[in-house]
Protein backbone atom coordinates (compact mmCIF):
# COMPACT_ATOMS: atom_id res chain seq x y z
CA UNK A 1 0.00 0.00 0.00
CA UNK A 2 1.49 3.39 -0.96
CA UNK A 3 2.31 5.32 2.21
CA UNK A 4 0.66 8.64 2.84
CA UNK A 5 3.07 11.56 2.97
CA UNK A 6 1.95 15.08 3.56
CA UNK A 7 3.71 17.08 0.91
CA UNK A 8 2.02 20.46 0.87
CA UNK A 9 -0.86 22.36 2.40
CA UNK A 10 -4.09 21.64 0.55
CA UNK A 11 -5.27 24.33 -1.79
CA UNK A 12 -8.92 23.41 -1.26
CA UNK A 13 -9.44 22.89 2.45
CA UNK A 14 -12.65 21.24 3.70
CA UNK A 15 -14.38 22.20 6.96
CA UNK A 16 -13.10 20.63 10.17
CA UNK A 17 -15.10 17.54 11.22
CA UNK A 18 -16.03 16.82 7.61
CA UNK A 19 -17.14 13.20 7.26
CA UNK A 20 -15.38 11.17 4.57
CA UNK A 21 -16.42 7.69 3.59
CA UNK A 22 -18.00 5.33 1.14
CA UNK A 23 -21.34 3.64 0.70
CA UNK A 24 -22.64 0.15 -0.01
CA UNK A 25 -26.07 -1.48 0.16
CA UNK A 26 -27.17 -4.84 1.52
CA UNK A 27 -28.42 -6.57 -1.60
CA UNK A 28 -25.50 -5.42 -3.73
CA UNK A 29 -22.81 -6.73 -1.39
CA UNK A 30 -24.02 -9.11 1.33
CA UNK A 31 -24.84 -12.19 -0.71
CA UNK A 32 -27.35 -14.88 0.24
CA UNK A 33 -30.39 -12.63 0.18
CA UNK A 34 -33.93 -13.71 -0.50
CA UNK A 35 -36.10 -10.81 -1.62
CA UNK A 36 -38.03 -9.69 -4.71
CA UNK A 37 -34.77 -9.07 -6.59
CA UNK A 38 -33.47 -12.58 -5.86
CA UNK A 39 -36.58 -14.02 -7.48
CA UNK A 40 -36.48 -11.70 -10.44
CA UNK A 41 -32.79 -12.20 -11.17
CA UNK A 42 -33.45 -15.89 -11.79
CA UNK A 43 -35.49 -15.17 -14.93
CA UNK A 44 -33.16 -15.15 -17.95
CA UNK A 45 -32.77 -11.82 -19.66
CA UNK A 46 -33.48 -9.62 -16.67
CA UNK A 47 -29.85 -8.94 -15.73
CA UNK A 48 -27.89 -7.55 -18.65
CA UNK A 49 -24.74 -9.63 -18.11
CA UNK A 50 -26.72 -12.76 -17.19
CA UNK A 51 -25.50 -12.81 -13.58
CA UNK A 52 -27.48 -13.17 -10.34
CA UNK A 53 -26.51 -11.44 -7.10
CA UNK A 54 -25.76 -14.84 -5.49
CA UNK A 55 -23.01 -14.51 -2.91
CA UNK A 56 -22.17 -11.02 -4.26
CA UNK A 57 -19.13 -9.78 -2.26
CA UNK A 58 -20.07 -11.95 0.71
CA UNK A 59 -19.93 -8.82 2.82
CA UNK A 60 -22.28 -10.66 5.18
CA UNK A 61 -19.32 -12.76 6.31
CA UNK A 62 -16.38 -10.58 5.30
CA UNK A 63 -17.51 -7.31 6.83
CA UNK A 64 -14.69 -7.15 9.41
CA UNK A 65 -12.17 -7.39 6.59
CA UNK A 66 -13.96 -4.78 4.45
CA UNK A 67 -14.23 -2.39 7.36
CA UNK A 68 -10.49 -2.80 7.94
CA UNK A 69 -10.03 -1.69 4.35
CA UNK A 70 -12.27 1.34 4.82
CA UNK A 71 -10.29 2.25 7.91
CA UNK A 72 -6.93 1.78 6.15
CA UNK A 73 -8.17 3.99 3.36
CA UNK A 74 -8.68 6.78 5.87
CA UNK A 75 -12.49 6.76 5.98
CA UNK A 76 -14.15 8.10 9.11
CA UNK A 77 -17.74 7.20 8.24
CA UNK A 78 -19.52 4.32 6.51
CA UNK A 79 -22.90 4.11 4.84
CA UNK A 80 -24.62 0.72 4.59
CA UNK A 81 -28.14 -0.66 4.54
CA UNK A 82 -29.97 -3.34 6.46
CA UNK A 83 -32.02 -5.93 4.60
CA UNK A 84 -35.72 -5.91 5.46
CA UNK A 85 -36.24 -9.48 4.21
CA UNK A 86 -33.67 -10.80 6.71
CA UNK A 87 -35.13 -8.87 9.63
CA UNK A 88 -38.79 -9.60 8.89
CA UNK A 89 -38.75 -12.80 6.80
CA UNK A 90 -42.52 -13.26 7.19
CA UNK A 91 -45.06 -10.58 7.97
CA UNK A 92 -44.79 -9.74 11.67
CA UNK A 93 -42.06 -12.38 12.21
CA UNK A 94 -38.87 -10.85 13.49
CA UNK A 95 -35.53 -12.55 13.23
CA UNK A 96 -33.47 -11.86 16.36
CA UNK A 97 -30.39 -13.54 14.86
CA UNK A 98 -30.27 -11.09 11.98
CA UNK A 99 -30.68 -8.17 14.35
CA UNK A 100 -27.71 -9.52 16.27
CA UNK A 101 -25.79 -9.70 13.01
CA UNK A 102 -26.44 -6.03 12.21
CA UNK A 103 -25.56 -5.08 15.79
CA UNK A 104 -22.21 -6.78 15.24
CA UNK A 105 -21.69 -4.91 11.97
CA UNK A 106 -22.50 -1.62 13.69
CA UNK A 107 -20.14 -2.37 16.56
CA UNK A 108 -17.42 -3.30 14.08
CA UNK A 109 -17.92 0.04 12.30
CA UNK A 110 -17.72 1.94 15.57
CA UNK A 111 -14.72 -0.02 16.89
CA UNK A 112 -12.75 1.31 13.95
CA UNK A 113 -13.71 4.87 14.78
CA UNK A 114 -16.11 5.18 11.81
CA UNK A 115 -19.47 6.90 12.18
CA UNK A 116 -22.25 4.69 10.75
CA UNK A 117 -24.95 6.06 8.45
CA UNK A 118 -27.70 3.48 8.11
CA UNK A 119 -30.29 3.10 5.34
CA UNK A 120 -33.40 1.05 6.06
CA UNK A 121 -34.66 0.42 2.53
CA UNK A 122 -32.37 0.23 -0.48
CA UNK A 123 -34.54 -1.02 -3.39
CA UNK A 124 -35.37 -4.47 -1.96
CA UNK A 125 -38.60 -5.78 -0.43
CA UNK A 126 -39.35 -9.00 1.41
CA UNK A 127 -41.09 -11.48 -0.87
CA UNK A 128 -44.23 -11.49 1.31
CA UNK A 129 -44.41 -7.71 1.10
CA UNK A 130 -44.08 -7.68 -2.68
CA UNK A 131 -46.59 -10.52 -3.05
CA UNK A 132 -49.03 -8.70 -0.77
CA UNK A 133 -49.15 -5.74 -3.16
CA UNK A 134 -45.76 -4.06 -2.64
CA UNK A 135 -45.45 -0.29 -2.65
CA UNK A 136 -48.57 0.39 -4.76
CA UNK A 137 -50.60 -0.94 -1.82
CA UNK A 138 -51.31 1.65 0.88
CA UNK A 139 -50.48 -0.90 3.60
CA UNK A 140 -46.83 -0.46 2.62
CA UNK A 141 -46.78 2.73 4.69
CA UNK A 142 -47.83 1.04 7.91
CA UNK A 143 -45.64 -2.01 7.27
CA UNK A 144 -42.59 0.14 6.72
CA UNK A 145 -43.40 2.24 9.79
CA UNK A 146 -43.61 -0.86 11.97
CA UNK A 147 -40.33 -2.22 10.61
CA UNK A 148 -38.68 1.12 11.31
CA UNK A 149 -39.92 1.31 14.92
CA UNK A 150 -38.58 -2.18 15.47
CA UNK A 151 -35.16 -1.18 14.13
CA UNK A 152 -35.07 1.98 16.21
CA UNK A 153 -35.70 -0.15 19.32
CA UNK A 154 -33.12 -2.76 18.42
CA UNK A 155 -30.34 -0.68 16.87
CA UNK A 156 -30.96 2.78 18.27
CA UNK A 157 -28.13 2.69 20.80
CA UNK A 158 -25.61 2.16 17.98
CA UNK A 159 -26.86 4.49 15.25
CA UNK A 160 -26.83 8.28 15.12
CA UNK A 161 -27.52 9.00 11.44
CA UNK A 162 -30.56 7.38 9.84
CA UNK A 163 -31.94 7.46 6.32
CA UNK A 164 -35.22 5.69 5.70
CA UNK A 165 -35.60 5.09 1.97
CA UNK A 166 -32.85 5.22 -0.61
CA UNK A 167 -33.71 7.10 -3.81
CA UNK A 168 -37.52 6.87 -3.77
CA UNK A 169 -37.76 8.49 -7.20
CA UNK A 170 -35.28 6.06 -8.77
CA UNK A 171 -37.06 3.09 -7.19
CA UNK A 172 -40.52 4.22 -8.26
CA UNK A 173 -39.51 5.18 -11.79
CA UNK A 174 -37.30 2.17 -12.55
CA UNK A 175 -39.87 -0.29 -11.15
CA UNK A 176 -43.16 1.28 -12.24
CA UNK A 177 -42.46 3.65 -15.11
CA UNK A 178 -39.44 2.41 -17.07
CA UNK A 179 -40.01 -1.30 -16.45
CA UNK A 180 -36.33 -1.95 -15.67
CA UNK A 181 -36.49 -3.10 -12.03
CA UNK A 182 -38.99 -5.60 -10.64
CA UNK A 183 -41.96 -5.73 -11.06
CA UNK A 184 -41.13 -4.05 -14.41
CA UNK A 185 -44.30 -2.09 -14.90
CA UNK A 186 -44.79 0.92 -17.14
CA UNK A 187 -47.65 2.75 -15.55
CA UNK A 188 -47.23 6.47 -14.77
CA UNK A 189 -50.14 6.49 -12.33
CA UNK A 190 -48.55 3.70 -10.31
CA UNK A 191 -45.29 5.61 -10.35
CA UNK A 192 -47.03 8.52 -8.62
CA UNK A 193 -48.79 6.22 -6.18
CA UNK A 194 -45.62 4.37 -5.21
CA UNK A 195 -43.79 7.62 -4.70
CA UNK A 196 -46.66 8.89 -2.55
CA UNK A 197 -46.53 5.78 -0.39
CA UNK A 198 -42.77 6.08 -0.07
CA UNK A 199 -43.19 9.69 0.97
CA UNK A 200 -45.73 8.75 3.64
CA UNK A 201 -43.55 5.83 4.72
CA UNK A 202 -40.61 8.19 5.03
CA UNK A 203 -42.67 10.43 7.32
CA UNK A 204 -43.77 7.40 9.39
CA UNK A 205 -40.14 6.37 9.73
CA UNK A 206 -39.08 9.88 10.71
CA UNK A 207 -41.61 10.01 13.53
CA UNK A 208 -41.07 6.40 14.58
CA UNK A 209 -37.32 6.87 15.03
CA UNK A 210 -37.76 10.10 16.96
CA UNK A 211 -40.59 8.63 19.05
CA UNK A 212 -38.50 5.66 20.05
CA UNK A 213 -35.22 7.48 20.50
CA UNK A 214 -36.38 10.93 21.58
CA UNK A 215 -36.14 14.13 19.68
CA UNK A 216 -34.68 16.49 22.18
CA UNK A 217 -32.46 18.19 19.62
CA UNK A 218 -29.48 17.64 21.85
CA UNK A 219 -26.15 16.79 20.34
CA UNK A 220 -26.87 13.10 20.72
CA UNK A 221 -30.41 13.06 19.35
CA UNK A 222 -30.67 10.90 16.23
CA UNK A 223 -30.59 12.63 12.89
CA UNK A 224 -33.10 11.31 10.39
CA UNK A 225 -32.99 12.19 6.72
CA UNK A 226 -33.86 11.00 3.27
CA UNK A 227 -31.56 9.91 0.45
CA UNK A 228 -32.69 11.64 -2.71
CA UNK A 229 -31.32 10.95 -6.17
CA UNK A 230 -30.80 14.08 -8.20
CA UNK A 231 -30.07 14.58 -11.85
CA UNK A 232 -28.90 17.92 -13.14
CA UNK A 233 -31.37 18.65 -15.95
CA UNK A 234 -30.12 21.23 -18.36
CA UNK A 235 -31.53 22.66 -21.58
CA UNK A 236 -29.40 21.51 -24.48
CA UNK A 237 -30.08 24.80 -26.19
CA UNK A 238 -30.09 27.36 -23.42
CA UNK A 239 -31.42 30.00 -25.79
CA UNK A 240 -34.57 27.98 -26.40
CA UNK A 241 -37.48 28.72 -24.00
CA UNK A 242 -39.00 25.28 -24.81
CA UNK A 243 -35.80 23.49 -23.86
CA UNK A 244 -35.50 25.56 -20.70
CA UNK A 245 -39.10 24.81 -19.73
CA UNK A 246 -38.57 21.14 -20.27
CA UNK A 247 -35.50 21.15 -18.01
CA UNK A 248 -37.32 23.15 -15.35
CA UNK A 249 -40.32 20.89 -15.31
CA UNK A 250 -38.22 17.72 -15.08
CA UNK A 251 -36.25 19.32 -12.27
CA UNK A 252 -39.45 20.14 -10.42
CA UNK A 253 -41.05 16.72 -10.76
CA UNK A 254 -37.94 14.58 -10.36
CA UNK A 255 -35.70 16.53 -7.99
CA UNK A 256 -37.80 19.02 -6.12
CA UNK A 257 -41.30 17.64 -5.53
CA UNK A 258 -40.29 15.05 -2.94
CA UNK A 259 -38.20 17.56 -0.99
CA UNK A 260 -40.90 20.22 -1.18
CA UNK A 261 -43.31 17.69 0.32
CA UNK A 262 -41.12 16.63 3.26
CA UNK A 263 -40.33 20.28 3.83
CA UNK A 264 -43.78 21.85 3.74
CA UNK A 265 -46.18 18.90 4.07
CA UNK A 266 -47.81 19.94 0.78
CA UNK A 267 -47.99 17.01 -1.59
CA UNK A 268 -47.59 18.15 -5.18
CA UNK A 269 -47.54 16.13 -8.43
CA UNK A 270 -46.71 13.37 -9.16
CA UNK A 271 -47.59 12.32 -5.58
CA UNK A 272 -50.66 14.44 -4.94
CA UNK A 273 -52.66 17.49 -5.94
CA UNK A 274 -51.17 19.97 -3.52
CA UNK A 275 -53.03 18.74 -0.43
CA UNK A 276 -51.52 19.38 3.00
CA UNK A 277 -50.59 16.42 5.17
CA UNK A 278 -49.29 17.96 8.38
CA UNK A 279 -47.49 14.82 9.56
CA UNK A 280 -45.23 15.00 6.51
CA UNK A 281 -44.11 18.55 7.19
CA UNK A 282 -40.50 19.04 8.22
CA UNK A 283 -39.66 15.36 8.39
CA UNK A 284 -35.97 15.79 7.65
CA UNK A 285 -33.10 16.71 9.89
CA UNK A 286 -30.71 16.59 6.95
CA UNK A 287 -30.67 15.76 3.27
CA UNK A 288 -28.85 12.77 1.82
CA UNK A 289 -28.02 13.78 -1.74
CA UNK A 290 -26.91 11.36 -4.48
CA UNK A 291 -25.39 12.80 -7.62
CA UNK A 292 -24.08 10.98 -10.67
CA UNK A 293 -24.82 12.87 -13.85
CA UNK A 294 -26.37 15.60 -15.95
CA UNK A 295 -29.17 15.06 -18.42
CA UNK A 296 -29.42 17.41 -21.32
CA UNK A 297 -32.96 17.84 -22.57
CA UNK A 298 -34.75 19.56 -25.42
CA UNK A 299 -35.48 19.16 -29.06
CA UNK A 300 -32.00 18.27 -30.29
CA UNK A 301 -31.78 15.52 -27.72
CA UNK A 302 -35.22 14.14 -28.56
CA UNK A 303 -34.34 14.00 -32.23
CA UNK A 304 -30.98 12.40 -31.63
CA UNK A 305 -30.86 8.78 -32.82
CA UNK A 306 -29.74 7.53 -29.41
CA UNK A 307 -32.27 9.20 -27.14
CA UNK A 308 -30.72 8.01 -23.90
CA UNK A 309 -27.56 10.02 -24.47
CA UNK A 310 -27.32 13.57 -25.54
CA UNK A 311 -25.13 14.59 -28.45
CA UNK A 312 -21.76 15.61 -27.02
CA UNK A 313 -21.36 19.15 -25.84
CA UNK A 314 -18.13 21.05 -25.54
CA UNK A 315 -18.16 20.94 -21.74
CA UNK A 316 -18.74 17.19 -21.53
CA UNK A 317 -16.09 14.89 -20.09
CA UNK A 318 -17.53 11.88 -21.85
CA UNK A 319 -19.47 8.91 -20.61
CA UNK A 320 -18.82 6.17 -18.08
CA UNK A 321 -19.47 2.43 -18.48
CA UNK A 322 -23.04 3.13 -17.36
CA UNK A 323 -23.48 5.54 -20.26
CA UNK A 324 -23.72 8.39 -17.76
CA UNK A 325 -22.06 11.65 -18.67
CA UNK A 326 -19.32 12.92 -16.33
CA UNK A 327 -20.32 16.44 -15.41
CA UNK A 328 -18.83 17.66 -12.11
CA UNK A 329 -20.35 21.11 -12.34
CA UNK A 330 -23.80 19.58 -11.96
CA UNK A 331 -23.13 18.86 -8.30
CA UNK A 332 -22.35 22.54 -7.76
CA UNK A 333 -25.50 23.68 -9.56
CA UNK A 334 -27.65 21.32 -7.51
CA UNK A 335 -26.00 22.35 -4.24
CA UNK A 336 -26.71 25.96 -5.15
CA UNK A 337 -30.40 25.15 -5.41
CA UNK A 338 -30.46 22.82 -2.38
CA UNK A 339 -29.02 25.50 -0.17
CA UNK A 340 -32.38 27.25 -0.20
CA UNK A 341 -33.93 24.45 1.91
CA UNK A 342 -31.56 25.36 4.74
CA UNK A 343 -30.84 21.76 5.79
CA UNK A 344 -27.44 20.17 6.37
CA UNK A 345 -26.40 18.13 3.33
CA UNK A 346 -24.69 14.75 3.30
CA UNK A 347 -23.54 13.65 -0.14
CA UNK A 348 -24.60 10.04 0.33
CA UNK A 349 -23.50 8.81 -3.11
CA UNK A 350 -21.23 10.04 -5.89
CA UNK A 351 -19.12 7.74 -7.99
CA UNK A 352 -18.42 6.15 -11.31
CA UNK A 353 -18.09 2.81 -13.07
CA UNK A 354 -15.09 2.97 -15.39
CA UNK A 355 -12.48 0.56 -16.67
CA UNK A 356 -9.78 3.18 -16.51
CA UNK A 357 -9.20 3.85 -12.81
CA UNK A 358 -7.47 7.15 -13.53
CA UNK A 359 -10.86 8.46 -14.60
CA UNK A 360 -12.25 7.43 -11.22
CA UNK A 361 -9.55 9.50 -9.48
CA UNK A 362 -10.33 12.41 -11.76
CA UNK A 363 -14.05 12.00 -11.12
CA UNK A 364 -13.52 12.20 -7.35
CA UNK A 365 -11.15 15.16 -7.48
CA UNK A 366 -13.26 17.24 -9.86
CA UNK A 367 -16.53 16.58 -8.04
CA UNK A 368 -14.93 17.45 -4.73
CA UNK A 369 -13.58 20.62 -6.27
CA UNK A 370 -17.18 21.60 -7.07
CA UNK A 371 -18.38 20.63 -3.60
CA UNK A 372 -15.63 22.79 -2.13
CA UNK A 373 -16.73 25.68 -4.35
CA UNK A 374 -20.30 25.32 -3.12
CA UNK A 375 -19.13 25.36 0.49
CA UNK A 376 -16.78 28.30 0.18
CA UNK A 377 -18.53 30.44 -2.44
CA UNK A 378 -22.13 29.83 -1.48
CA UNK A 379 -21.89 28.74 2.14
CA UNK A 380 -23.56 25.39 1.34
CA UNK A 381 -23.76 23.36 4.55
CA UNK A 382 -22.20 20.15 3.24
CA UNK A 383 -21.06 17.87 6.05
CA UNK A 384 -20.17 14.57 4.44
CA UNK A 385 -19.11 12.85 1.24
CA UNK A 386 -19.61 9.14 0.57
CA UNK A 387 -18.01 7.70 -2.54
CA UNK A 388 -20.15 5.01 -4.21
CA UNK A 389 -18.84 2.46 -3.64
CA UNK A 390 -16.27 1.02 -1.24
CA UNK A 391 -15.96 -2.02 -3.49
CA UNK A 392 -17.25 -3.44 -6.76
CA UNK A 393 -20.68 -4.96 -6.30
CA UNK A 394 -23.89 -6.16 -7.95
CA UNK A 395 -25.04 -3.18 -9.97
CA UNK A 396 -28.75 -4.10 -10.12
CA UNK A 397 -29.97 -4.96 -13.63
CA UNK A 398 -26.48 -4.33 -15.06
CA UNK A 399 -24.98 -7.17 -13.01
CA UNK A 400 -21.37 -7.46 -11.86
CA UNK A 401 -19.44 -6.00 -14.72
CA UNK A 402 -20.10 -2.36 -13.91
CA UNK A 403 -17.33 -1.57 -11.49
CA UNK A 404 -17.80 1.32 -9.13
CA UNK A 405 -15.37 0.23 -6.41
CA UNK A 406 -12.46 2.00 -4.80
CA UNK A 407 -11.60 -1.62 -4.13
CA UNK A 408 -11.58 -4.19 -6.91
CA UNK A 409 -13.26 -7.52 -6.21
CA UNK A 410 -12.27 -10.75 -7.93
CA UNK A 411 -15.58 -12.60 -7.96
CA UNK A 412 -13.96 -16.01 -8.35
CA UNK A 413 -11.83 -15.77 -5.23
CA UNK A 414 -13.56 -12.84 -3.48
CA UNK A 415 -10.12 -11.26 -3.09
CA UNK A 416 -10.14 -7.52 -2.64
CA UNK A 417 -7.52 -5.14 -4.00
CA UNK A 418 -7.52 -1.39 -3.48
CA UNK A 419 -7.28 0.55 -6.72
CA UNK A 420 -4.95 3.55 -7.11
CA UNK A 421 -8.01 5.84 -6.90
CA UNK A 422 -8.61 4.56 -3.35
CA UNK A 423 -5.26 6.12 -2.38
CA UNK A 424 -5.94 9.35 -4.22
CA UNK A 425 -9.13 9.57 -2.15
CA UNK A 426 -7.28 8.55 1.01
CA UNK A 427 -4.76 11.35 0.58
CA UNK A 428 -7.58 13.87 0.15
CA UNK A 429 -9.10 12.57 3.39
CA UNK A 430 -5.78 12.70 5.25
CA UNK A 431 -5.27 16.28 4.06
CA UNK A 432 -8.93 17.14 4.64
CA UNK A 433 -8.58 18.82 1.29
CA UNK A 434 -7.10 18.76 -2.20
CA UNK A 435 -3.57 19.91 -2.96
CA UNK A 436 -2.76 22.11 -5.96
CA UNK A 437 -0.64 19.29 -7.38
CA UNK A 438 -3.52 16.80 -7.33
CA UNK A 439 -6.00 19.30 -8.67
CA UNK A 440 -3.77 20.30 -11.58
CA UNK A 441 -2.94 16.73 -12.46
CA UNK A 442 -6.61 15.79 -12.85
CA UNK A 443 -7.63 19.01 -14.52
CA UNK A 444 -5.00 18.32 -17.13
CA UNK A 445 -6.31 14.81 -17.53
CA UNK A 446 -9.86 16.13 -17.91
CA UNK A 447 -8.75 18.42 -20.73
CA UNK A 448 -7.73 15.35 -22.73
CA UNK A 449 -11.13 13.70 -22.33
CA UNK A 450 -13.62 16.24 -23.52
CA UNK A 451 -16.35 14.57 -25.54
CA UNK A 452 -14.93 11.04 -25.15
CA UNK A 453 -16.53 7.75 -24.28
CA UNK A 454 -14.36 5.82 -21.79
C1 LIG B 1 -27.75 4.50 -7.18
C2 LIG B 1 -28.10 3.40 -6.19
C3 LIG B 1 -26.93 2.54 -5.82
C4 LIG B 1 -26.01 2.26 -6.98
C5 LIG B 1 -25.66 3.52 -7.73
C6 LIG B 1 -24.75 3.31 -8.90
O1 LIG B 1 -28.89 4.87 -7.89
O2 LIG B 1 -28.61 3.97 -5.01
O3 LIG B 1 -27.42 1.37 -5.22
O4 LIG B 1 -26.56 1.30 -7.79
O5 LIG B 1 -26.83 4.14 -8.17
Amino acid sequence: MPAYQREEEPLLQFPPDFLWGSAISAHQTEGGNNNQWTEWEKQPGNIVDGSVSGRADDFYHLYEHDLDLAKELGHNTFRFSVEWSRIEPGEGEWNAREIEHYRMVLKAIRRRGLEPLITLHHFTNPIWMEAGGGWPDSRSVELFGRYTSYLAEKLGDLVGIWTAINEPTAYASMSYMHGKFPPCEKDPSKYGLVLRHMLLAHAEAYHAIHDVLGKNRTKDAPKVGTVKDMTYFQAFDEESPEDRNEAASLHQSYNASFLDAIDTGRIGPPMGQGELIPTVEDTWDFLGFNYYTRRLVGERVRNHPNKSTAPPRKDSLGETDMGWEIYPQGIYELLKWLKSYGKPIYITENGTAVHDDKIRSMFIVLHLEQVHRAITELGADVRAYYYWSLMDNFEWNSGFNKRFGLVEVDYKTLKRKSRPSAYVYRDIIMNNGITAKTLNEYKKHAATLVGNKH
Side-chain angles (χ1 to χ4, degrees):
M1 153 164 112
Y4 163 72
Q5 279 165 353
R6 188 173 176 112
E7 285 169 357
E8 51 177 305
E9 282 300 307
L11 177 72
L12 309 180
Q13 186 80 61
F14 278 71
D17 302 329
F18 197 80
L19 292 174
W20 297 102
S22 59
I24 61 166
S25 86
H27 188 70
Q28 293 173 278
T29 59
E30 280 182 346
N33 277 325
N34 188 21
N35 53 42
Q36 100 279 26
W37 267 84
T38 326
E39 294 284 290
W40 185 75
E41 289 159 17
K42 289 181 198 151
Q43 299 156 32
N46 285 344
I47 307 298
V48 176
D49 67 4
S51 55
V52 294
S53 58
R55 68 175 177 169
D57 297 315
D58 201 16
F59 178 76
Y60 190 82
H61 297 107
L62 301 179
Y63 66 89
E64 293 270 5
H65 173 80
D66 292 331
L67 292 168
D68 279 344
L69 281 174
K71 172 82 187 154
E72 265 169 49
L73 293 171
H75 301 190
N76 57 26
T77 184
F78 187 66
R79 174 176 176 227
F80 77 113
S81 73
V82 290
E83 175 60 31
W84 188 359
S85 61
R86 288 184 187 274
I87 294 163
E88 194 180 357
E91 186 176 342
E93 274 170 39
W94 305 99
N95 188 330
R97 233 188 47 235
E98 295 291 3
I99 286 291
E100 197 38 45
H101 169 79
Y102 287 119
R103 288 189 62 80
M104 281 171 5
V105 174
L106 281 161
K107 285 181 189 163
I109 296 171
R110 288 204 172 278
R111 244 193 336 268
R112 288 163 179 80
L114 276 67
E115 177 70 39
L117 185 155
I118 201 169
T119 299
L120 308 186
H121 183 276
H122 197 123
F123 294 171
T124 53
N125 304 320
I127 288 169
W128 60 264
M129 189 270 184
E130 189 84 352
W135 285 97
D137 191 309
S138 59
R139 274 196 75 223
S140 54
V141 177
E142 168 198 329
L143 293 173
F144 188 73
R146 189 177 62 177
Y147 159 68
T148 309
S149 300
Y150 181 75
L151 289 174
E153 302 261 1
K154 299 292 177 190
L155 306 180
D157 57 325
L158 295 170
V159 182
I161 317 176
W162 301 75
T163 56
I165 300 177
N166 177 70
E167 299 193 342
T169 336
Y171 175 85
S173 63
M174 294 297 272
S175 306
Y176 291 95
M177 190 134 82
H178 304 308
K180 294 258 164 82
F181 286 5
C184 296
E185 296 191 23
K186 291 186 179 174
D187 177 346
S189 69
K190 269 202 189 158
Y191 162 70
L193 189 65
V194 165
L195 205 51
R196 180 183 177 91
H197 291 156
M198 288 193 143
L199 169 73
L200 299 175
H202 161 83
E204 284 281 311
Y206 180 87
H207 295 299
I209 295 166
H210 281 305
D211 286 351
V212 174
L213 299 173
K215 188 183 181 181
N216 47 17
R217 303 240 182 224
T218 62
K219 201 171 137 281
D220 298 327
K223 295 190 193 76
V224 186
T226 186
V227 171
K228 181 68 187 75
D229 46 314
M230 307 273 181
T231 296
Y232 178 53
F233 296 100
Q234 194 180 25
F236 186 84
D237 176 0
E238 287 182 286
E239 304 294 304
S240 147
E242 289 81 20
D243 282 16
R244 284 207 313 271
N245 282 343
E246 190 178 333
S249 97
L250 281 166
H251 171 75
Q252 176 56 37
S253 68
Y254 200 89
N255 294 334
S257 63
F258 196 88
L259 300 189
D260 290 346
I262 60 175
D263 199 43
T264 63
R266 248 188 221 290
I267 321 296
M271 297 160 293
Q273 299 304 322
E275 65 277 22
L276 183 71
I277 304 186
T279 51
V280 176
E281 184 183 347
D282 198 19
T283 50
W284 53 335
D285 302 326
F286 71 95
L287 168 67
F289 161 40
N290 291 358
Y291 174 76
Y292 287 93
T293 192
R294 158 172 82 169
R295 207 176 114 203
L296 291 163
V297 297
E299 208 186 320
R300 289 235 356 241
V301 183
R302 267 197 308 280
N303 296 333
H304 194 256
N306 180 356
K307 286 203 185 119
S308 65
T309 51
R313 260 180 41 151
K314 283 205 198 78
D315 58 354
S316 173
L317 294 179
E319 279 176 15
T320 69
D321 290 353
M322 297 295 286
W324 299 347
E325 186 201 24
I326 302 177
Y327 190 65
Q329 205 185 319
I331 203 168
Y332 173 86
E333 298 297 339
L334 287 166
L335 285 169
K336 191 184 330 176
W337 157 66
L338 287 170
K339 198 183 164 263
S340 60
Y341 288 103
K343 295 283 178 185
I345 297 170
Y346 290 55
I347 297 167
T348 34
E349 286 179 32
N350 175 236
T352 189
V354 272
H355 278 80
D356 175 355
D357 186 56
K358 187 152 188 201
I359 294 181
R360 189 184 332 277
S361 301
M362 180 202 75
F363 185 99
I364 295 171
V365 170
L366 297 190
H367 281 79
L368 285 172
E369 180 196 14
Q370 297 296 330
V371 173
H372 181 269
R373 256 183 84 205
I375 296 172
T376 52
E377 286 178 16
L378 312 169
D381 184 9
V382 183
R383 305 208 179 162
Y385 177 86
Y386 295 83
Y387 177 80
W388 180 275
S389 172
L390 175 63
M391 56 198 167
D392 294 338
N393 58 51
F394 181 71
E395 179 44 38
W396 305 114
N397 61 333
S398 301
F400 283 109
N401 74 21
K402 298 287 184 272
R403 296 188 172 246
F404 278 89
L406 292 170
V407 174
E408 181 183 345
V409 177
D410 176 338
Y411 290 108
K412 286 210 185 81
T413 60
L414 291 183
K415 283 228 167 71
R416 278 74 161 142
K417 187 166 174 251
S418 296
R419 295 190 163 107
S421 55
Y423 299 110
V424 171
Y425 184 42
R426 177 202 59 183
D427 291 354
I428 292 173
I429 300 174
M430 304 300 270
N431 283 324
N432 200 39
I434 306 175
T435 61
K437 186 166 159 245
T438 302
L439 187 63
N440 291 337
E441 178 181 347
Y442 291 104
K443 281 197 167 225
K444 262 195 216 138
H445 193 55
T448 66
L449 295 176
V450 175
N452 280 356
K453 196 174 166 95
H454 313 301

